[in-house]
Amino acid sequence: MITNDNISEIRLAFPALNQQVNNRQLVYFDNAATTLKPKVVSEAIAGYYNTINSNVHRGVHHLSQQATYAFENARKSVQQFINAGNSNEIIFTKGTTDAINLVAHSFGKKFINEGDEIIISQMEHHANIVPWQTVCEEKGAKLKVIPVTEKGELILDEYENLFTGKTKIVSVTHISNVLGTINPIKKIIETAHKYNVPVMIDGAQGIVHEKIDVQDLDCDFYCFSGHKIYGPMGTGVLYGKEDWLEKLPPYQTGGEMIKNVTFEKTTFNELPFKFEAGTPNVGGAVGLEAALAFVSHTGLDEIFNHEKELLEYGTEKLSEIEGLKIYGTAANKSGVISFLLDGIHQYDAGTILDQLGIAVRTGNHCAQPLIKSLGIQGTVRASFALYNTSEEIDIFAKAILKVKEMLG
Ligand code: PLP
């Protein structure tokens, strides 16, 4: 269990926690944007650059072989982490946005035609809206949107009503980065499969708040960013079922992804390399592997339980504050609290909180359609990670009272 007794040991692994901001001990509550990194991650990256630092799959020399070994081992670690059936179903990307663009463009190119329909939801991050919208514009297809209740839950009956013979793919977020809602993705996938429609899950937030088993979920595509699960920025993963990945055309072309090139014709490499054009981020993959090992070692259940406790405690403390409204009250929620204070602009609240050493996110959280549907311009968002404590929530609640005192 993560308890008051061992949390200080866990916190020691994260050097960035040990700093003052505006002369106060930092309280880092912007974890949904990016998590802080344990020392083992930067050590793994430095280790790669200080010793191996070679390109993969190309050289016969010792260091190049070591690089290939390290990169492919990282791929196997990701495979195990999300229980994919085969390591060739793991494509390294720059992150979630890159992975969704890959599927949208590649799937769109081959399978979307005029009049076809793509289903997303009202609570999507722009990363899971704009790529599909672009495909729709290019192909003359239509975007259909699953509505959300006032509490921030998807309306599943209406979801099922969106299917027609023209539906080609569903792409929804596992967890809302604004509301914290954990969507019933297994059910969403089952429904789509009834209509023979594949499903892509945006797991940017999901990967760090739930144990992911892509075979059990039976999702066709699942993607996430390394930096949201304590790993390096610029790393990410696209999982795709082998059948689908075989059928999709390459997204980017160039070195690494080819089998044979002549000026007349090029044949493409096998999976997963077909989707990994150019020199990959080997150091990043090694860093991501270290992050996943850290998370597994700490214990996924431990982390989820700890975050749940923080969510419950935080919700209780913030609900006591007069004039504070929480957005997102779904029954199944991750450690995210979005809120507004009566008569106080979210940016002003964020600025005062920063002066008090507290890092929160303010604004529309890259989800303008959702924010608009809530009839607001943005929120203040606090999001918790494995190293946060209930004492920090006490400091936060007091700081919000201070914001009210100064601006209310
Ligand atoms: N999807 C969701 C739900 C997110 O929360 C984010 C980032 O906040 C993204 C997609 C985009 O992730 P990235 O910027 O790492 O590609």
Side-chain angles (χ1 to χ4, degrees), residues 119-134:
I119 297 177
I120 61 169
S121 89
Q122 201 178 348
M123 64 168 80
E124 299 309 319
H125 185 283
H126 298 158
N128 199 27
I129 301 173
V130 188
W132 299 110
Q133 208 166 40
T134 306

Side-chain angles (χ1 to χ4, degrees), residues 32-34 94-100 123-128 173-178 202-206 224-228 234-235 365-366 381:
T34 198
K94 284 189 291 178
T96 304
T97 306
D98 193 32
I100 298 174
M123 64 168 80
E124 299 309 319
H125 185 283
H126 298 158
N128 199 27
T173 193
H174 186 171
I175 295 183
S176 163
N177 62 313
V178 180
D202 169 354
Q205 301 295 335
F224 65 90
S225 303
H227 71 98
K228 301 214 195 247
T235 65
H365 315 297
C366 296
R381 181 187 71 189

Side-chain angles (χ1 to χ4, degrees), residues 176-374:
S176 163
N177 62 313
V178 180
L179 308 171
T181 312
I182 303 175
N183 288 320
I185 52 170
K186 200 163 176 187
K187 212 163 161 195
I188 287 170
I189 293 162
E190 257 171 39
T191 302
H193 285 175
K194 256 192 346 197
Y195 298 91
N196 284 324
V197 172
V199 181
M200 162 129 204
I201 301 293
D202 169 354
Q205 301 295 335
I207 191 74
V208 73
H209 297 293
E210 287 224 321
K211 168 80 192 117
I212 305 303
D213 181 332
V214 289
Q215 293 189 78
D216 179 56
L217 285 172
D218 198 26
C219 53
D220 301 279
F221 304 99
Y222 192 100
C223 63
F224 65 90
S225 303
H227 71 98
K228 301 214 195 247
I229 182 158
Y230 311 100
M233 291 187 175
T235 65
V237 168
L238 168 68
Y239 157 81
K241 278 185 185 163
E242 192 174 343
D243 278 3
W244 275 114
L245 293 176
E246 288 289 2
K247 278 189 264 187
L248 297 189
Y251 170 48
Q252 294 183 320
T253 53
E256 288 281 341
M257 54 75 67
I258 54 91
K259 191 172 264 166
N260 196 36
V261 179
T262 67
F263 285 117
E264 287 72 37
K265 185 157 176 65
T266 293
T267 51
F268 302 128
N269 206 338
E270 61 206 20
L271 289 176
F273 314 115
K274 181 173 100 174
F275 291 105
E276 292 178 353
T279 298
N281 183 357
V282 186
V286 169
L288 175 58
E289 182 181 31
L292 299 183
F294 178 88
V295 165
S296 301
H297 179 75
T298 308
L300 286 165
D301 288 339
E302 302 271 302
I303 296 172
F304 304 150
N305 285 338
H306 179 65
E307 287 177 4
K308 203 159 179 251
E309 278 171 23
L310 291 175
L311 173 70
E312 276 165 18
Y313 186 62
T315 306
E316 189 188 309
K317 288 300 272 186
L318 265 58
S319 301
E320 286 166 5
I321 299 175
E322 212 177 299
L324 184 149
K325 178 171 177 187
I326 293 177
Y327 290 85
T329 52
N332 200 9
K333 252 189 93 168
S334 71
V336 168
I337 305 180
S338 259
F339 65 93
L340 280 175
L341 292 163
D342 222 4
I344 299 176
H345 195 278
Q346 65 271 9
Y347 290 130
D348 297 333
T351 305
I352 305 280
L353 289 169
D354 175 58
Q355 281 168 15
L356 298 171
I358 299 169
V360 288
R361 178 114 322 204
T362 53
N364 61 48
H365 315 297
C366 296
Q368 286 180 20
L370 173 66
I371 290 290
K372 201 168 164 207
S373 75
L374 296 169

Side-chain angles (χ1 to χ4, degrees), residues 27-154:
V27 172
Y28 187 79
F29 280 172
D30 194 18
N31 296 288
T34 198
T35 49
L36 303 177
K37 319 303 176 217
K39 233 179 312 183
V40 285
V41 169
S42 50
E43 282 167 0
I45 298 169
Y48 166 77
Y49 283 111
N50 290 341
T51 55
I52 302 176
N53 189 66
S54 280
N55 215 325
V56 288
H57 307 137
R58 289 183 194 172
V60 290
H61 67 81
H62 175 75
L63 292 182
S64 175
Q65 285 178 11
Q66 291 235 305
T68 304
Y69 181 73
F71 190 56
E72 293 309 321
N73 254 355
R75 197 188 306 277
K76 285 196 191 104
S77 297
V78 173
Q79 177 202 349
Q80 279 164 16
F81 193 78
I82 60 171
N83 195 32
N86 195 324
S87 66
N88 70 6
E89 296 178 314
I90 305 298
I91 315 291
F92 281 117
T93 68
K94 284 189 291 178
T96 304
T97 306
D98 193 32
I100 298 174
N101 271 280
L102 189 164
V103 176
H105 286 95
S106 192
F107 187 95
K109 190 169 171 184
K110 184 141 182 199
F111 293 106
I112 308 279
N113 294 306
E114 197 172 343
D116 284 344
E117 294 168 355
I118 295 166
I119 297 177
I120 61 169
S121 89
Q122 201 178 348
M123 64 168 80
E124 299 309 319
H125 185 283
H126 298 158
N128 199 27
I129 301 173
V130 188
W132 299 110
Q133 208 166 40
T134 306
V135 170
C136 286
E137 275 165 19
E138 279 169 9
K139 293 293 190 111
K142 191 170 162 197
L143 209 54
K144 289 180 127 181
V145 181
I146 313 166
V148 171
T149 64
E150 223 168 83
K151 286 176 123 185
E153 289 166 336
L154 294 178

